[in-house]
């Protein structure tokens, strides 16, 4: 079973943002999203229970992607799509305001150390994004075994002014039936469930909406020594940074391996510098598509500026 050949695995970089979910699912239905679905038990059981919903799952683990697809395939489900992408970014960029009925996160890692805090996606920006993308009276549900974390998230959500508290309980019973829940309950830990309901809309800035064409820059000539010297160079932009990790050359084409970081959203992609009849074409390499964020667009322009002669 080839992961990418399956209907339910989507590559969001290939679509303009926000994504047209009715078109992707080929039907109009209410949307529900799970971030960090792990083995996929919860998302798959929801999709089986509620065939009237379209479910979207986001994960950063390729192993989780493979595992859930086996389950979706085994149950012949048509109402789930999954993508390998940071869930916080996806929630903000892929959905129109007021378009999601339910968002779920089960046992997200709380990243308790101060030095790791930026890895925690359930933060203030996430709460604001929920305030934008959830429909009126739409709900967000967090289930976790970590008490300080759920209390902190409750405060963050309520501080936005967008939500009413619907449920905040402690439990020693199965709520979502996932691997992490089974693990913590078997160790005698309690779990906590927090559900909030949206009452007010909030606006958040989207980084990729609007103009989504990438700069393809044509130069009559380049300084090839400057291209070689790019390796290891860091460039700064008001929104973040990008670094050219390596420079490869083969038959009239340079390929730059780039890593960008914008507010902790990291992307790895290639910029190609290709010889053509009139000179050199500098563009984002289509084989490793990146989201067209401000820093990604800037990186193509900046490379062109630096290598031009
Ligand atoms: C502790 S596991 C819980 C898995 C599952 N929900 C469960 O209850 O068994 C957390 C999951 O979140 C995923 N994850 C972590 N950060 C993420 C992010 N920014 N976006 C999407 N998934 C993420 C991890 O890959 C991992 O599978």
């Amino acid at each position: 079973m080839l992961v990418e050949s399956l209907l339910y695995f989507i590559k969001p970089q290939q679509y303009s943002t926000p994504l047209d979910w009715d078109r992707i699912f080929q039907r109009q239905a209410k949307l529900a999203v799970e971030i960090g679905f792990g083995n996929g038990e919860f998302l798959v059981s929801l999709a089986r229970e509620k065939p009237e919903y379209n479910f979207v799952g986001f994960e950063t683990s390729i192993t989780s992607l493979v595992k859930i697809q086996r389950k979706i395939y085994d149950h012949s489900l048509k109402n789930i799509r999954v993508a390998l992408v940071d869930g916080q970014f996806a929630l903000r960029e892929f959905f129109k305001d007021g378009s999601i009925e339910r968002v779920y996160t089960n046992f997200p890692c709380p990243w308790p150390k101060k030095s790791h805090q930026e890895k925690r996606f359930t933060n203030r920006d996430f709460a604001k994004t929920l305030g934008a993308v959830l429909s009126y009276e739409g709900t967000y549900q967090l289930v976790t075994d970590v008490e300080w974390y759920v209390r902190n998230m409750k405060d963050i959500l309520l501080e936005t002014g967008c939500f009413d508290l619907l449920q905040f309980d402690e439990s020693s019973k199965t709520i979502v039936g996932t691997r992490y829940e089974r693990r913590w309950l078997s160790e005698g830990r309690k779990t906590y469930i927090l559900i909030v309901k949206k009452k007010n809309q909030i606006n958040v800035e989207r980084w990729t909406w609007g103009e989504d064409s990438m700069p393809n820059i044509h130069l009559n000539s380049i300084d090839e020594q400057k291209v070689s010297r790019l390796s290891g160079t860091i460039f700064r932009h008001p929104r973040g940074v990008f670094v050219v990790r390596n420079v490869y050359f083969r038959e009239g084409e340079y390929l730059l391996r780039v890593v960008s970081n914008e507010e902790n959203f990291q992307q790895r992609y290639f910029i190609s510098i290709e010889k053509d009849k009139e000179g050199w074409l500098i563009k984002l390499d289509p084989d490793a598509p990146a989201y067209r964020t401000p820093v990604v667009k800037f990186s193509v322009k900046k490379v062109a500026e630096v290598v031009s002669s």
Side-chain angles (χ1 to χ4, degrees):
M1 189 173 68
L2 254 179
V3 171
E4 290 182 18
S5 68
L6 296 174
L7 175 70
Y8 16 83
F9 178 72
I10 59 161
K11 285 190 175 172
Q13 298 97 319
Q14 292 170 339
Y15 300 88
S16 1
T17 49
L19 274 64
D20 183 347
W21 292 104
D22 291 349
R23 203 157 166 202
I24 290 170
F25 282 98
Q26 295 179 358
R27 67 166 191 170
Q28 249 185 331
K30 290 177 182 173
L31 277 172
V33 173
E34 185 182 5
I35 298 175
F37 52 74
N39 285 352
E41 300 102 323
F42 178 71
L43 195 57
V44 167
S45 71
L46 272 185
R48 294 182 72 198
E49 275 166 32
K50 296 184 186 299
E52 71 278 16
Y53 271 78
N54 286 337
F55 289 92
V56 186
F58 299 117
E59 251 297 338
T60 48
S61 150
I62 186 82
T63 311
S64 295
L65 256 292
V66 172
K67 285 185 177 166
I68 197 171
Q69 286 183 91
R70 291 218 177 93
K71 293 189 177 74
I72 302 172
Y73 185 78
D74 288 347
H75 294 292
S76 310
L77 292 169
K78 305 251 182 300
N79 60 336
I80 305 190
R81 297 293 184 276
V82 289
L84 186 67
V85 57
D86 169 63
Q88 186 182 16
F89 176 83
L91 201 65
R92 189 187 62 228
E93 300 296 320
F94 302 168
F95 298 92
K96 287 185 193 151
D97 283 353
S99 64
I100 311 177
E101 301 286 318
R102 312 240 180 283
V103 175
Y104 304 93
T105 50
N106 296 321
F107 300 94
C109 181
W111 297 108
K113 284 190 189 161
K114 209 168 176 160
S115 56
H116 290 156
Q117 252 180 35
E118 78 277 3
K119 296 187 185 203
R120 196 187 303 153
F121 66 83
T122 45
N123 52 29
R124 281 196 167 71
D125 288 340
F126 177 71
K128 287 185 188 155
T129 295
L130 285 169
V133 297
L134 276 172
S135 57
Y136 178 65
E137 298 201 331
T139 57
Y140 167 62
Q141 174 177 313
L142 166 67
V143 177
T144 175
D145 55 306
V146 187
E147 187 177 356
W148 66 262
Y149 175 57
V150 72
R151 288 191 182 283
N152 181 248
M153 197 55 202
K154 175 169 75 68
D155 293 345
I156 288 176
L157 286 159
L158 297 183
E159 271 164 25
T160 62
C162 295
F163 306 100
D164 280 329
L165 186 62
L166 215 59
Q167 190 181 348
F168 184 51
D169 285 323
E170 159 183 312
S171 166
S172 314
K173 294 199 183 113
T174 301
I175 303 172
V176 286
T178 64
R179 178 165 154 245
Y180 275 83
E181 185 178 58
R182 284 192 295 280
R183 187 198 279 187
W184 303 138
L185 289 180
S186 73
E187 290 180 11
R189 292 205 213 177
K190 289 210 168 69
T191 55
Y192 301 86
I193 179 163
L194 166 70
I195 307 180
V196 292
K197 183 169 81 171
K198 173 154 154 193
K199 60 175 179 183
N200 290 321
Q201 180 68 28
I202 199 172
N203 292 325
V204 291
E205 187 200 351
R206 267 66 174 219
W207 303 354
T208 61
W209 288 20
E211 176 57 58
D212 65 0
S213 63
M214 276 302 296
N216 283 358
I217 298 172
H218 198 269
L219 296 175
N220 292 336
S221 62
I222 60 168
D223 181 335
E224 296 192 44
Q225 284 192 341
K226 285 184 185 168
V227 180
S228 310
R229 286 202 295 267
L230 275 172
S231 185
T233 317
I234 299 175
F235 296 92
R236 291 179 202 285
H237 178 270
R239 300 294 291 263
V241 295
F242 79 89
V243 54
V244 178
R245 283 257 186 256
N246 307 87
V247 176
Y248 306 100
F249 180 74
R250 196 172 67 96
E251 293 169 19
E253 183 184 18
Y254 288 93
L255 212 49
L256 315 187
R257 191 166 76 86
V258 179
V259 180
S260 69
N261 198 325
E262 283 156 271
E263 294 175 25
N264 300 317
F265 179 63
Q266 215 180 69
Q267 299 203 72
R268 290 155 200 278
Y269 54 97
F270 289 90
I271 294 174
S272 65
I273 305 177
E274 212 177 293
K275 202 165 179 37
D276 63 15
K277 279 186 205 135
E278 288 122 42
W280 295 83
L281 182 64
I282 301 164
K283 64 178 178 37
L284 200 61
D285 187 69
D287 291 338
Y291 296 101
R292 291 152 188 193
T293 58
V295 172
V296 168
K297 289 181 180 179
F298 167 72
S299 67
V300 177
K301 289 186 196 143
K302 191 73 194 171
V303 163
E305 183 190 310
V306 170
V307 303
S308 75
S309 62

